[in-house]
Amino acid sequence: MARAALPLLLGPLLLAPLWEVSTAGSLLSRLGDHVREVQARSGQRLGDPSSVTGGWLWQPLDPFNSSDPRSFRQRYWVNVGHWRPPDGPVFLHIGGEGSLGPSSVLKGHPGALAPHWGALVLSLEHRFYGWSIPPRGLEEAQLRFLSSRHALADVASACLRLSGIYNISASSPWIAFGGSYAGSLAAWARLKYPHLIWAAVASSAPVQAQLDFSSYNRVVSRSLADPAVGGSPKCQRAVAQAFSELDDRLSEGNETRAALQSEVRACGSLEAPEDQAELLEQLEGLVGGAVQYDQQVGAPLDVRGLCHLILAKQSRGPLSGLRDAIQLVLQTLGLPCLPSSKAAALAELRDTSPQATSLGYRQWFYQTCTEFGYYVTCKDPGCPFSRRKTLSAQLQLCAQVFGLSPTSVAQAVNWTNTYYGGRSPGATRVLFVNGNIDPWHVLSVLQALGPSEPAMLLRGTSHCSDMAPPRPSDPPGLHLGRQRIVQQLEVWLQEAKVDLGSPGDQ
Ligand SMILES: *[C@@H]1O[C@H](CO)[C@@H](O)[C@H](O)[C@H]1NC(C)=O
Ligand SMILES: *[C@@H]1O[C@H](CO)[C@@H](O)[C@H](O)[C@H]1NC(C)=O
Ligand SMILES: *[C@@H]1O[C@H](CO)[C@@H](O)[C@H](O)[C@H]1NC(C)=O
């Protein structure tokens, strides 16, 4: 999930702080974007940036309709620095719901794994995100060409086209890598195009689409109480108390609300119930983000840090620690205040101006309405947040923004699981890697489904952590997990040597 820019190659364009572009948007996606941005910029760079180039592929806008002549430009990156042709493998980093920069072929997976096997490293930006947005691509008429199925067709066509451009022989196995949604794409690329993709490593891949994702907050709650990452039951209770205090104060008179607005640094008035819900959503994202990106470079707060703040000032009232956490996160993200306007959030989702932001907020929301759901609710008894946020309110947004009815969203989510197989995809040679701290892991494959469908659940590990460059402070589970990824790849690449042969053998 490494994204964003290497200044040498791209100039200042991609480096503009993306969160200045808009003030709405979810705090959780902002946090994710910040983490990826910082990780792309920091740490050691593997190999020589001069062996990295970017390029463009013309791809059909509708690959399933050969009489539609329209096409769009899709961006890719290539790192030839480690490649040992003719039969070195190809490591393909599949992009997800954001832009991809040159660091996507330089570090983390698969850049870090490339030298050992002499791999050619490629990355492909997802259609409709980053710089691969078709003309007028954010308008509703065009968005129907945005789906995981289209993205997989792009992967297949890119395999063939790039094989031609880089003279990749048939004896070079293609290994797909990806994290989060792109991890699902990596698994599905192997599932749907097994003649092109030899194997896949799917990191934190929520392959099960789910309308009501209340289990997200069940894991958030459990992780806040997990001593392995600096949490405690006391911390979990304190977070729940803070949110119940928020709920209480929001239902009191307008003067209490005005005081609360300045206390939590909300950007606007908290009088309207929908703006109150928006504020609660952002604060839930702040806590969820500390869990999801626990112990990652670039994350302003992890579970340990959040719990420390929340518990340190508990004697001064239940909101005291949360206030400090808000301050820290706003500062890190460069935000003047906490977005709390439902109207602004709606306006952002409706905005069709082509900004090459890495957030892709509108596009991703479209994909949740048409494929995945993933609407986080607070139904679980252990959920520490406000219970005001309902599934139907979130489904209403699909209707407000795209005119899609709740029934159609529910049907789309069911179809996604029918089409890909949910948690039993039945693909061979896919390694599913997850962390037990990560709220997304519950939608992934956690146990091996057979000898060629291995899975691991790493203790003390958060979302996509295995893809980041290793650090001495990594939990032992993550350290071990990385070793097992290498061992598994060794096995599959040996199998490729036997099955695909090298041109000299034939
Ligand atoms: C395929 O493309 C042609 C030409 O743009 C168009 O007329 C036709 O309606 C399309 N078919 C489908 C099923 O989208
Ligand atoms: C392509 O690679 C093959 C080996 O796989 C080599 O024999 C051939 O000369 C290469 N062609 C070009 C144009 O580089
Ligand atoms: C609260 O509401 C009352 C009555 O509607 C109004 O007179 C007062 O000015 C309001 N106070 C604030 C702080 O908005």
Side-chain angles (χ1 to χ4, degrees), residues 85-87 166-169 171 503:
D87 53 4
Y166 291 96
N167 191 25
I168 299 165
S169 82
S171 56

Side-chain angles (χ1 to χ4, degrees), residues 218-303:
R218 187 172 66 229
V219 182
V220 168
S221 172
R222 202 167 64 203
S223 298
L224 288 172
D226 189 343
V229 289
S232 64
K234 223 166 122 187
C235 171
Q236 180 203 48
R237 277 195 304 274
V239 169
Q241 269 162 19
F243 277 84
S244 111
E245 174 82 6
L246 281 169
D247 251 348
D248 290 349
R249 290 220 211 154
L250 285 169
S251 8
E252 281 170 26
N254 57 356
E255 267 150 38
T256 311
R257 279 192 291 269
L260 185 66
Q261 180 192 337
S262 84
E263 206 175 328
V264 299
R265 301 194 46 197
C267 297
S269 146
L270 299 175
E271 285 311 299
E274 66 265 25
D275 294 336
Q276 298 172 6
E278 187 64 27
L279 173 84
L280 290 168
E281 163 90 20
Q282 303 293 359
L283 290 173
E284 188 180 317
L286 181 148
V287 176
V291 172
Q292 182 166 321
Y293 301 109
D294 183 58
Q295 298 174 69
Q296 297 195 20
V297 171
L301 271 179
D302 55 12
V303 172

Side-chain angles (χ1 to χ4, degrees), residues 99-245:
S99 71
L100 275 191
S103 69
S104 61
V105 291
L106 275 169
K107 39 173 107 172
H109 290 166
L113 300 169
H116 181 62
W117 287 290
L120 175 69
V121 187
L122 292 167
S123 70
L124 189 66
E125 194 170 67
H126 196 295
R127 61 163 57 204
F128 287 80
Y129 292 97
W131 297 82
S132 303
I133 301 178
R136 300 190 320 282
L138 303 195
E139 290 171 16
E140 234 167 280
Q142 298 289 82
L143 281 178
R144 69 191 178 91
F145 301 110
L146 165 61
S147 76
S148 57
R149 291 177 285 279
H150 289 90
L152 292 172
D154 293 338
V155 167
S157 124
C159 282
L160 300 174
R161 306 268 299 286
L162 293 169
S163 289
I165 295 172
Y166 291 96
N167 191 25
I168 299 165
S169 82
S171 56
S172 289
W174 287 64
I175 313 291
F177 293 87
S180 199
Y181 161 53
S184 300
L185 290 176
W188 296 334
R190 167 65 190 159
L191 176 70
K192 298 295 186 186
Y193 298 98
H195 56 295
L196 298 173
I197 303 294
W198 181 256
V201 179
S203 300
S204 303
V207 285
Q208 172 87 21
Q210 195 162 76
L211 197 60
D212 185 339
F213 189 13
S214 65
S215 43
Y216 183 99
N217 279 331
R218 187 172 66 229
V219 182
V220 168
S221 172
R222 202 167 64 203
S223 298
L224 288 172
D226 189 343
V229 289
S232 64
K234 223 166 122 187
C235 171
Q236 180 203 48
R237 277 195 304 274
V239 169
Q241 269 162 19
F243 277 84
S244 111
E245 174 82 6

Side-chain angles (χ1 to χ4, degrees), residues 204 215-216 218-224 226-229 291-292 294-295 303 433-442 446 456-465 475 477-478:
S204 303
S215 43
Y216 183 99
R218 187 172 66 229
V219 182
V220 168
S221 172
R222 202 167 64 203
S223 298
L224 288 172
D226 189 343
V229 289
V291 172
Q292 182 166 321
D294 183 58
Q295 298 174 69
V303 172
V433 185
N434 283 283
N436 76 331
I437 297 301
D438 176 17
W440 290 94
H441 81 264
V442 289
L446 304 179
M456 33 187 195
L457 181 61
L458 311 177
R459 282 195 47 75
T461 301
S462 61
H463 196 59
C464 298
S465 286
L478 177 54

Side-chain angles (χ1 to χ4, degrees), residues 25-100:
S26 112
L27 202 65
L28 185 59
S29 45
R30 259 170 228 285
L31 279 169
D33 213 57
H34 180 75
V35 165
R36 283 181 288 274
E37 181 102 355
V38 173
Q39 289 185 2
R41 273 189 273 119
S42 69
Q44 107 245 53
R45 203 162 273 143
L46 293 138
D48 175 7
S50 71
S51 48
V52 172
T53 43
W56 301 90
L57 291 174
W58 283 102
Q59 296 271 27
L61 184 64
D62 187 351
F64 308 116
N65 179 358
S66 54
S67 35
D68 190 333
R70 288 172 297 172
S71 56
F72 75 100
R73 278 188 348 150
Q74 184 168 33
R75 187 167 66 158
Y76 69 89
W77 295 97
V78 55
N79 179 356
V80 297
H82 312 293
W83 195 25
R84 292 196 295 270
D87 53 4
V90 179
F91 287 175
L92 174 66
H93 182 168
I94 299 179
E97 71 282 22
S99 71
L100 275 191

